[in-house]
Amino acid sequence: MKVVQISFLLASRNLWRNYRRTIIMLVAISVGAWAMIFMTALMRGMVNEMLRDGIRSLPGLVQVHNSAYRDDPSINNLVSMTDIEIETTFAAAGIERYATRVRVPAIISSERESRGVTLLGVDPLRERSIEAVGSVIAEGRGLESIDDNGIVIGKKLAGKLDTEIGKRIVLMSQDPDNEVADRGFRVVGLFEANLAAQEEAFVFAGRTVVQKMLGIDGRVSEIALTGDDYRNVELLLADTRRLMDGRDEVLSWQELDTFLGTMLGVMDGFVLVWIVVIFLALSFGLVNTLVMAVFERVREIGLMLALGMRPSGIMLQIIFESLLLLMLGLSIGNALAYASVIPLKDGLDISVVAEGMEMFGAASVLYPEIQVNDVVLANVVVLTLGLIASLSPAWRASRYEPVKAITKV
Amino acid sequence: MAVNIISRLAWRNVWRHPRRTWLTIGAMVFSNALLVFMISIQFGMYGLMIDNTLKAFTGHMQVQAPGYKDDLKMRQVVPDAATLAEKLRSELKLDRISARSSAFALLSSEDRSYGVQVFGVDPQYEPGVSTIPGLVREGRFPTDNNAQEIVIGKTLARNLRVETGDELTLLGSGRDGSFAAAVAEIVGIFDSGVPDFDRSIAEIPLGFFGDVFFMDHAAHSIVIVAPALSAVEEYRPRVEELLSPADGLVVHDWNALQPGLKQAIQADISSAFFMYGILVILVAFSVMNTQLMSVLERTHEFGIVMSLGVTPGRLGRLVLLETGMIALAGLVLGALVGGLITLWFGYKGFSYPGMDQLAANFNLPSRFYPQVTVLTLFLGPVFVFAGSILSALYPALRLQWVHPVEAMRSLQ
Amino acid sequence: MSAVRCVDLCKTYRQGDQDIKALDHVDLEISDGGFVCLSAPSGGGKTTLLNAIGGLDKPDTGEVWIAEQRIDQMSKGELAALRLSQIGFVFQAYNLIPVLSARENIEFVMQVQGQPTALRRDKAMAILREVGLAGLEDRRPAEMSGGQQQRVAVARAIVSRPALVLADEPTANLDSTTSDGLMALFVDLNQNHNTTFVIATHDQRVMGYAKRLIRMLDGKIVDDIDQQAA
């Protein structure tokens, strides 16, 4: 243990012997560590927001549909349980954060314009519990109850339809017999969403009103359930599957929106690749610094060997020196990354490329998110690979012949 | 001759510590190879993304009524569109110009109804401006401008539970807001591979569209494909000249029609270039470190030559020359390695897990074949080269403060 | 019992295209408590012999025994352990570790040996006083004169009371007063602790302290004088 102590002492003193070189290397490591964490925070912010937006628009982490619904999302493919059965089943199982919804394709027409939309018959209270899109009202009021007669549409859609709060619009869809089912609604509220596409895609009305209009009393198209962590849906999925008892299709958000599901995996992969790439770019400088340090200290390394220090003690010194350098650089880099995220707390406005970001399914304000596991990953990867990279110079140093090292001029 | 001696001196100095020099070159080669590969993929993808997106439907330019692009309102029309399209074709000597209209309609089969966007297209000229007519996998594309025929996407056909030969009912609102309805026979089903298109697009002949939606010879846009994307700037004023001022029409280029496309590319470029910048900076630090070491360990030697009358400026240039040699080696080797890797992927195809999902969102294939161009081969390495030279300025300039006598006294 | 025994040692170096015989069939035995000076012109083989005895350098042929242990076939680890526990070294130059203070340099060997902190500090301070460096314990080598550095090196070599001290020109950078002080210290250790000394030197004054004087030339022992007898 004493050898470890003296090796550590020597490493920490040696680090500052050539302070210019150490500082250059420290700056490089700090910049690298900062870039690792900052860039990851930006990308995480974007992707997490994307996932949250995507999950809000699905909505939920898990959904239940008729097994034919995904292939043929029509009025004929409804959930096998009635809404009352669902309510009793879920209440008995203690599940609270879910919503039952009627979801059909429809045409919405103002006096002037028509658009294709998705009509959702919802229970407004339940919608809020699953944080579904449409809950943020920009103008007017939200739906108040399950049998609210009004309709809430997106702000963008209102513009395109040339309509406004208080005006009437007509919704047209089909009933289970493929007869045209239509009904007039008064626009009571306009909702806002992060993505323009969502404001144009969805319109919301009271669930029983829509059920009556379509002639499907007591039946719904989907059950949406949510939980706290989108990375962990297995439990919720299993619970719901058990409740539905094999009658309907129960899918997680990754299966429902494969683009989003893939995105999360790709993002995790990207973070690791980015960290490793930065490290590799740094590693050449790191190894170079160590090689130079060893080269300059041949004589004293020889001396220490001559005095009876084992080669492992020499190796330990070089490795400690490398780890100290890395840890210092990482600390500065981590601190910088945290500091540079602070001014961006209110989001980084990238609305100049808003429509481009929308192609990715991302919003136009970026909120950097530093995730602890990313930071841990970055630091662990750098220290581990740094240790491996220092092995070669350390090994070379420990192999010097003391007498040659001492007499070397 | 002097130049020769100096460069020979520089070259020898470079190889005093071969291991150190190789490590520095290694950092450059690593970054350069990565940059060449990434930039080749990126630029290739941008090209494909623009091309595939515009080719599918948008074209390079469109003539529209002002405001139509954003509002897509039925009454924002190009009057007498067929005549104008013909005029443009003959005056510009371009074939690939076609008039197009669009409306939202409820499409009903016997047992299903879906709201979709119905496009009125000119059967004769549409194949020149859009790939959809060519992607009809079952049946055919309409040929008669007035036929009561319709072509729909694969997914839509499945959702409607129809096949070619079946009839569909169209319900919507006409240009004047009045009720529009018609029955059309499905003559073709297309498979574009783009989920949005396959799910929510139907095309009918332009003449038929005019009748159903009361267009009165008007259409919503005239789609123009220039001989090349780069020719858009040249053709745009010529198109504008041919429009009659009374109609108050406007010409939008692809960038205005698909603002997301360029912005997505910009967003991607800026994040990618941030990352490339970091790489360049890290390499620069590596070079700075090496060159500083090489200057510091030669302090004694520099002291001697300075006392012989060599100016610090000259020694500074020597250090820069040495850096230049190392950086040039890094550039050449890096471009070579990067080029070879890119060529290999250009031959084998490049893909990563999840790419098929992401690529589809941007009209890209799931396997990509990057190509090496002069730009992609040297853009990254040139920045690394410049960064290396810049970073050597610090050690080179430090020489200005070296005092010959003190330098000689310092340990060798 | 012999502290050092060398049997038929040979060692050849190549320098340029010339072979130099640094040790040429050297036989030598030094008994416990010996005080031996090796003297030779530059290149005479004294440093090589010293290094071979210390296990720093392996002879081409022949045997080296330290305290009845054959060391020329030991592994690096065994040699390190041997040097640590039984031999103190004073080298010609570059004797000290630049980043450690005088006291830390002296403690270095003890620390590697694993001695407790308080004990080795006391020992280091005591030996610093003995070699006349009290008050300089916190100086780094760069802050000391050549003589002071050499005294720190000597202090380090003798602090653990090794059975054998090998010194290569220990007085090279010292003035005569300091040299005498140092030699008095060596003599004291030799007499009171039975420490064996092997000192390679040019210095006539140092040779005067030796019980036995060995002269070498071209890798051979040419003269072996017992000065006690004289």
Side-chain angles (χ1 to χ4, degrees), chain A residues 169-296:
Chain A
I169 50 92
V170 174
L171 274 161
M172 197 161 58
S173 187
Q174 65 163 150
D175 67 13
D177 303 320
N178 199 28
E179 297 300 320
V180 171
D182 54 358
R183 189 184 191 283
F185 287 90
R186 197 170 294 283
V187 178
V188 295
L190 304 182
F191 74 85
E192 252 177 357
N194 278 345
L195 301 179
Q198 295 174 343
E199 287 186 21
E200 288 185 54
F202 301 117
V203 302
F204 298 87
R207 196 183 76 209
T208 51
V209 180
V210 175
Q211 285 170 332
K212 197 169 291 168
M213 161 187 164
L214 299 171
I216 51 162
D217 283 353
R219 302 294 297 278
V220 293
S221 317
E222 68 187 9
I223 312 170
L225 298 98
T226 199
D228 296 321
D229 181 7
Y230 57 74
R231 280 173 180 270
N232 267 318
V233 295
E234 293 311 313
L235 199 65
L236 185 62
L237 197 63
D239 276 354
T240 316
R241 285 211 170 115
R242 191 168 37 75
L243 287 180
M244 298 315 293
D245 205 15
R247 269 172 299 177
D248 292 294
E249 188 177 46
V250 182
L251 295 174
S252 68
W253 63 272
Q254 291 102 322
E255 296 163 303
L256 289 160
D257 190 332
T258 46
F259 174 72
L260 283 186
T262 310
M263 205 60 209
L264 185 60
V266 168
M267 185 58 209
D268 287 348
F270 164 82
V271 169
L272 187 61
V273 169
W274 172 234
I275 289 171
V276 170
V277 161
I278 292 267
F279 174 80
L280 288 178
L282 279 175
S283 65
F284 292 95
L286 179 70
V287 172
N288 218 342
T289 302
L290 295 178
V291 167
M292 281 298 100
V294 170
F295 178 79
E296 291 166 353

Side-chain angles (χ1 to χ4, degrees), chain A residues 109-114 161-162, chain B residues 74-75 173-177:
Chain A
S109 309
S110 66
E111 301 124 62
R112 294 181 161 282
E113 291 292 326
S114 300
L161 290 173
D162 255 350
Chain B
M74 283 296 280
R75 61 195 147 81
S173 329
R175 178 182 167 189
D176 54 2

Side-chain angles (χ1 to χ4, degrees), chain A residues 20-21 27 39 71-72 74 76 112-115 160 162 174 178 258 262 288 292 353 355-356, chain B residues 20 70-71 73-75 104 109-113 158-159 173 259-260 263 274 285 289 354 357 398:
Chain A
R20 286 192 199 88
R21 182 172 66 201
V27 173
M39 187 70 197
D71 202 33
D72 178 18
S74 85
N76 298 71
R112 294 181 161 282
E113 291 292 326
S114 300
R115 285 290 183 277
K160 295 224 161 157
D162 255 350
Q174 65 163 150
N178 199 28
T258 46
T262 310
N288 218 342
M292 281 298 100
V353 291
E355 281 143 303
Chain B
R20 180 171 73 190
D70 298 314
D71 305 336
K73 285 174 182 160
M74 283 296 280
R75 61 195 147 81
F104 283 95
S109 64
E110 218 156 280
D111 42 24
R112 290 287 186 272
S113 296
R158 202 181 60 215
N159 287 344
S173 329
Q263 290 176 10
F274 172 80
F285 275 118
N289 214 342
Q357 283 289 337
R398 260 186 60 85

Side-chain angles (χ1 to χ4, degrees), chain C residues 77-110:
Chain C
E78 289 170 320
L79 281 172
L82 174 88
R83 286 198 292 268
L84 203 56
S85 59
Q86 303 195 22
I87 307 178
F89 273 105
V90 182
F91 298 106
Q92 210 165 350
Y94 314 115
N95 245 320
L96 302 180
I97 299 163
V99 288
L100 298 182
S101 68
R103 180 176 57 73
E104 288 164 334
N105 261 290
I106 293 168
E107 283 186 43
F108 178 85
V109 174
M110 293 187 279

Side-chain angles (χ1 to χ4, degrees), chain B residues 386-408:
Chain B
S388 306
I389 301 285
L390 273 180
S391 70
L393 281 178
Y394 165 62
L397 288 175
R398 260 186 60 85
L399 287 169
Q400 305 294 331
W401 293 284
V402 170
H403 191 272
V405 179
E406 278 170 34
M408 277 198 290

